[in-house]
């Protein structure tokens, strides 16, 4: 089969388990067998699926592909996190990050090529928007990472949709991917260990709350006052903070779950102590945990991180006012894998 023909094939990962193809309607067990190979054993080719009849495997291979990526590159950081650069069938690229911890394996996934949100401090935002990723390209990141790292996909129990893109602007594919992650016949993850990050789109937050999934919602707030927010997050012009906070309240009423507030510490921009006080005011009545993230620099960003001292002061100010807070240092800075750094670099 030519490379061009192979590229044009649909990936099986675009299907949910009940939609997986079977040879004849009588053989519904084949769906389970396929799902086992794809999600439990992490097969990346049909040849690996040795208990399926050869003729059927050949038929599948003529119509579908498994791995949705043309090429996968790995960049290993000193702290053992690994940045993955995936080349898609149309030649575009996207990224994911694998973060091994003592007690868990976490992956940070992308939902888009680039990002339309254009946050001023984010290297992905500076790339602009390429396109939405398909379900196969989102789920495929997990499977490719497991395959390259040499373990079963089901060993990955923590997922954060915080890589490239605003997942809620790729709502349909992000949601169907999450449903495959939590399907017991697929990756069988707990929704409680899946974090979806958003820049703050009130309508989509409400819609997601109505799905009734106990996900972790992470709001990238980054500033408590409209003026600063508009300066660093273009979507703030369209969505006032009040609307976002109302949507968070709706989420909490529906799901009763704590919300993560992401706050990148930008020196001289959003790290004033009056902003810490205003943040406390803004979040009153919500069950939240604030993550202060020192800014991870990238070339020509025009921003610098707040000093360690200022970050501690800001943290203390919040915790003295009983706002749960911690400082989150990003991994993978030496390979451009840290929060806000993803920019398709080759090394
Ligand atoms: Fe997009 Fe998130 Fe970067 Fe903003 S911070 S530009 S939403 S990837």
């Amino acid at each position: 089969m030519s490379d061009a023909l192979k590229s044009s094939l649909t990936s099986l990962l675009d299907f949910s388990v009940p939609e997986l193809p079977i040879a004849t309607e009588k053989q519904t067990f084949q769906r389970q067998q396929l799902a086992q190979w794809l999600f439990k054993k992490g097969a990346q080719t049909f040849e690996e699926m040795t208990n399926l009849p050869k003729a059927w495997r050949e038929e599948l291979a003529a119509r579908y592909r498994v791995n949705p990526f043309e090429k996968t590159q790995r960049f290993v950081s000193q702290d053992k996190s690994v940045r993955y650069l995936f080349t898609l069938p149309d030649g575009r690229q996207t990224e994911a990050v694998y973060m091994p911890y003592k007690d868990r394996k976490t992956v940070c996934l992308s939902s888009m090529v680039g990002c339309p949100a254009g946050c001023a401090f984010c290297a992905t935002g500076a790339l602009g928007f390429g396109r939405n990723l398909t379900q196969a390209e989102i789920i495929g990141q997990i499977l490719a990472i497991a395959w390259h790292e040499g373990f079963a996909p089901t060993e990955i129990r923590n997922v954060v949709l915080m890589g490239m893109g605003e997942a809620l602007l790729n709502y349909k594919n992000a949601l169907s991917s999450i449903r495959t992650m939590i399907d017991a016949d697929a990756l069988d993850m707990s929704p409680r260990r899946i974090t979806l990050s958003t820049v703050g789109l009130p309508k989509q937050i409400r819609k997601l709350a109505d799905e009734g999934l106990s996900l972790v919602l992470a709001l990238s707030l980054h500033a408590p006052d409209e003026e600063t927010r508009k300066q660093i997050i273009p979507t703030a012009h369209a969505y006032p903070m009040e609307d976002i906070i109302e949507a968070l309240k709706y989420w909490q009423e529906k799901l009763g779950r704590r919300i993560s507030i992401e706050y990148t510490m930008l020196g001289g921009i959003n790290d004033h102590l009056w902003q810490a006080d205003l943040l406390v005011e803004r979040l009153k009545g919500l069950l939240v945990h604030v993550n202060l993230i020192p800014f991870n620099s990238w070339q020509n960003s025009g921003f610098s991180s707040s000093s360690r001292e200022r970050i501690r002061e800001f943290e203390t100010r919040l915790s003295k006012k009983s706002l749960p807070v911690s400082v989150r240092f990003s991994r993978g800075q030496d390979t451009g894998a840290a929060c806000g750094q993803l920019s398709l670099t080759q090394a």
Side-chain angles (χ1 to χ4, degrees):
M1 188 187 298
S2 73
D3 283 353
L5 186 58
K6 191 167 160 265
S7 298
S8 67
L9 299 178
T10 303
S11 166
L12 275 189
L13 304 178
D14 266 322
F15 299 110
S16 65
V17 174
E19 292 167 345
L20 283 172
I22 46 179
T24 74
E25 275 313 313
K26 281 190 193 137
Q27 292 167 309
T28 49
F29 66 92
Q30 287 179 337
R31 221 165 247 142
Q32 299 305 321
Q33 282 182 315
L34 253 187
Q36 278 267 341
W37 279 111
L38 293 173
F39 302 111
K40 311 289 186 201
K41 298 182 187 169
Q44 291 275 292
T45 61
F46 292 108
E47 293 89 76
E48 293 167 65
M49 305 180 184
T50 45
N51 69 347
L52 304 186
K54 193 159 181 279
W56 189 46
R57 270 191 277 152
E58 284 170 0
E59 201 181 308
L60 285 171
R63 293 169 60 195
Y64 304 103
R65 59 193 291 173
V66 179
N67 178 358
F69 306 121
E70 293 301 309
K71 189 173 159 195
T72 299
Q73 290 164 271
R74 289 172 85 241
F75 304 94
V76 183
S77 297
Q78 280 168 9
D79 63 16
K80 305 262 189 302
S81 55
V82 186
R83 180 168 65 90
Y84 276 82
L85 179 60
F86 300 110
T87 303
L88 310 172
D90 60 2
R92 293 175 189 264
Q93 293 182 310
T94 195
E95 299 187 310
V97 184
Y98 166 56
M99 291 164 284
Y101 294 93
K102 261 194 199 132
D103 57 342
R104 66 188 189 279
K105 296 176 170 70
T106 297
V107 292
C108 175
L109 305 181
S110 291
S111 57
M112 293 177 169
V113 173
C115 183
C119 303
F121 54 87
C122 171
T124 304
L127 293 176
F129 177 53
R131 68 166 168 86
N132 284 336
L133 297 186
T134 63
Q135 176 184 310
E137 289 162 350
I138 298 174
I139 288 290
Q141 294 169 55
I142 303 177
L143 301 186
I145 288 173
W147 192 84
H148 282 275
E149 299 300 326
F151 49 72
T154 45
E155 284 190 35
I156 295 173
R157 300 284 81 191
N158 291 70
V159 165
V160 294
L161 269 158
M162 281 188 176
M164 289 194 158
E166 162 58 58
L168 292 184
L169 287 178
N170 185 10
Y171 191 92
K172 186 170 154 280
N173 294 343
L175 185 67
S176 61
S177 302
I178 289 170
R179 290 203 187 279
T180 297
M181 289 176 210
I182 62 181
D183 183 342
D185 290 327
L187 290 168
D188 196 20
M189 290 179 185
S190 163
R192 292 174 172 266
R193 300 212 173 166
I194 299 172
T195 301
L196 183 140
S197 156
T198 175
V199 76
L201 308 175
K203 201 170 115 210
Q204 285 90 337
I205 291 173
R206 287 167 188 268
K207 191 171 168 197
L208 188 63
D210 289 339
E211 308 281 352
L213 300 169
S214 290
L215 307 170
V216 179
L217 184 70
L219 173 71
S220 296
L221 190 63
H222 305 304
D225 57 296
E226 295 287 11
E227 201 187 321
T228 310
R229 213 162 179 268
K230 282 179 185 163
Q231 191 188 333
I232 56 178
I233 304 176
T235 57
H237 290 274
Y239 306 110
M241 207 167 322
E242 265 172 35
D243 292 358
I244 298 172
I245 299 288
E246 282 309 308
L248 296 189
K249 286 185 179 155
Y250 184 78
W251 174 278
Q252 216 137 57
E253 277 162 25
K254 281 259 165 182
L255 300 165
R257 303 221 57 207
R258 184 187 293 265
I259 293 165
S260 290
I261 304 292
E262 310 299 310
Y263 199 105
T264 299
M265 298 295 293
L266 302 166
I269 307 276
N270 63 358
D271 62 352
H272 303 285
L273 294 181
W274 64 263
Q275 287 168 313
D277 295 338
L278 186 57
L279 187 60
V280 174
E281 284 304 309
R282 291 277 191 204
L283 299 175
K284 233 174 217 162
L286 281 166
L287 185 63
V288 294
H289 184 97
V290 178
N291 290 310
L292 302 179
I293 308 160
F295 171 69
N296 299 301
S297 65
W298 45 278
Q299 220 178 3
N300 303 327
S301 72
F303 292 95
S304 59
S305 179
S306 312
S307 65
R308 275 184 181 248
E309 195 184 25
R310 176 39 64 102
I311 294 172
R312 289 292 166 214
E313 279 171 344
F314 203 91
E315 181 190 22
T316 306
R317 191 81 158 216
L318 297 183
S319 60
K320 270 196 177 151
K321 296 196 172 187
S322 305
L323 192 58
V325 56
S326 44
V327 180
R328 205 183 69 202
F329 293 96
S330 300
R331 297 179 55 152
Q333 292 189 32
D334 54 326
T335 55
C339 270
Q341 281 187 328
L342 296 183
S343 61
L344 308 175
T345 49
Q346 293 288 330

